[in-house]
Amino acid sequence: MKMTLPSLLSLSPPGQVDKLAKDFSTLGVSLPHEEIEVIKNKTSITESGVVDHPMAQAIQKELEMYRDEHYGSIDHYYFTVTKPEKSSIEEMLQIATYAERIDETNFYSGSWRGEWTVRQTDDNTLLLEGSVQIHVYCHENCNVQLQTNKTFPKTNIRYEEFAAKTIKKKIASFESEVQMDLREDLFGKLDDKLKALRRILPVMRTRMDWNVLSHRMVKKLEESAPPSK
């Protein structure tokens, strides 16, 4: 498959579209600024004003508290609450969240993007659905990228005074679930590798708890990892 410059830029590590475009321009290959901005908007979001609507404003307030509670140490965190074009504000709201961390000193960058839709299905019910996209890039002595996408099942929420708070709790619960699934996928594979290599009875003739050993290894790796700078 032939790779074009736009397709290559769309695969850029989080927050690196401009930098990669500049590198290509030194080789005599470039794109108009407008096209680069389109690519950036497809992979991240920028913060914008909230829609002038009570529910949108309530969601905005809850998202601000959620950002402060869970993303306080992140380099960049943006969110928007908007109304799609050609749609009644009473029928639909769109929520977009984006968190990004770039650590060139420790050779990694990562982004977390959530896209949510809130629809009013009747006078008393809201329907929440959405998805999360994760992109992680490590480049210490190699180039490794992880990209994953998970969809949140449709959930009915009672349209009442505390609906915005409920929406925030549902989003927070799903994001925690995504983190746990990702951890299980990565560290679960480590457990499987250890089990495949293990001896039922080691040389000292004492049965070893390999599950405990694997978790100790993960803990040691986390403790020995260089701190973010």
Side-chain angles (χ1 to χ4, degrees), residues 45-137:
I45 69 167
T46 56
E47 200 159 22
S48 64
V50 66
V51 173
D52 185 17
H53 182 272
M55 177 56 69
Q57 292 173 352
I59 293 174
Q60 165 110 359
K61 183 178 180 181
E62 293 296 330
L63 286 176
E64 288 175 351
M65 290 189 290
Y66 181 60
R67 173 193 60 196
D68 296 340
E69 292 171 3
H70 298 277
Y71 292 90
S73 62
I74 297 298
D75 300 334
H76 303 287
Y77 180 82
Y78 306 111
F79 59 85
T80 62
V81 183
T82 58
K83 169 191 170 185
E85 295 182 3
K86 301 180 181 179
S87 174
S88 169
I89 186 62
E90 286 75 23
E91 294 177 354
M92 181 187 296
L93 289 172
Q94 286 184 333
I95 305 169
T97 62
Y98 181 78
E100 175 184 283
R101 168 166 286 174
I102 301 172
D103 191 337
E104 295 186 354
T105 302
N106 291 313
F107 309 103
Y108 75 85
S109 60
S111 66
W112 178 294
R113 176 173 180 150
E115 296 177 307
W116 311 89
T117 300
V118 180
R119 301 175 187 271
Q120 184 176 350
T121 56
D122 57 45
D123 291 341
N124 300 313
T125 308
L126 298 172
L127 181 66
L128 174 68
E129 56 183 317
S131 62
V132 165
Q133 300 87 43
I134 303 171
H135 186 187
V136 181
Y137 174 66

Side-chain angles (χ1 to χ4, degrees), residues 189-204:
K189 290 177 182 178
L190 175 61
D191 287 343
D192 292 341
K193 293 294 184 183
L194 286 170
K195 289 177 181 178
L197 294 172
R198 73 185 182 183
R199 294 169 57 100
I200 299 301
L201 288 177
V203 176
M204 70 285 296

Side-chain angles (χ1 to χ4, degrees), residues 96-229:
T97 62
Y98 181 78
E100 175 184 283
R101 168 166 286 174
I102 301 172
D103 191 337
E104 295 186 354
T105 302
N106 291 313
F107 309 103
Y108 75 85
S109 60
S111 66
W112 178 294
R113 176 173 180 150
E115 296 177 307
W116 311 89
T117 300
V118 180
R119 301 175 187 271
Q120 184 176 350
T121 56
D122 57 45
D123 291 341
N124 300 313
T125 308
L126 298 172
L127 181 66
L128 174 68
E129 56 183 317
S131 62
V132 165
Q133 300 87 43
I134 303 171
H135 186 187
V136 181
Y137 174 66
C138 299
H139 56 97
E140 184 176 13
N141 300 323
C142 63
N143 288 280
V144 179
Q145 293 199 51
L146 166 69
Q147 296 190 53
T148 186
N149 186 319
K150 185 164 184 177
T151 300
F152 181 67
K154 296 180 180 179
T155 302
N156 288 320
I157 296 173
R158 185 174 178 80
Y159 197 170
E160 58 184 2
E161 181 182 357
F162 301 106
K165 188 179 295 290
T166 303
I167 289 171
K168 181 197 73 171
K169 289 181 178 179
K170 292 292 185 181
I171 291 176
S173 175
F174 177 65
E175 289 195 343
S176 296
E177 180 183 326
V178 172
Q179 288 180 327
M180 293 299 296
D181 288 348
L182 189 60
R183 183 179 181 87
E184 182 177 344
D185 287 343
L186 295 176
F187 295 150
K189 290 177 182 178
L190 175 61
D191 287 343
D192 292 341
K193 293 294 184 183
L194 286 170
K195 289 177 181 178
L197 294 172
R198 73 185 182 183
R199 294 169 57 100
I200 299 301
L201 288 177
V203 176
M204 70 285 296
R205 309 298 296 173
T206 302
R207 184 175 292 275
M208 184 176 294
D209 190 335
W210 289 91
N211 289 327
V212 171
L213 177 62
S214 65
H215 288 295
R216 286 177 180 171
M217 288 179 64
V218 170
K219 184 178 180 180
K220 288 294 184 184
L221 288 172
E222 292 175 343
E223 291 175 350
S224 61
S228 300
K229 299 180 179 179

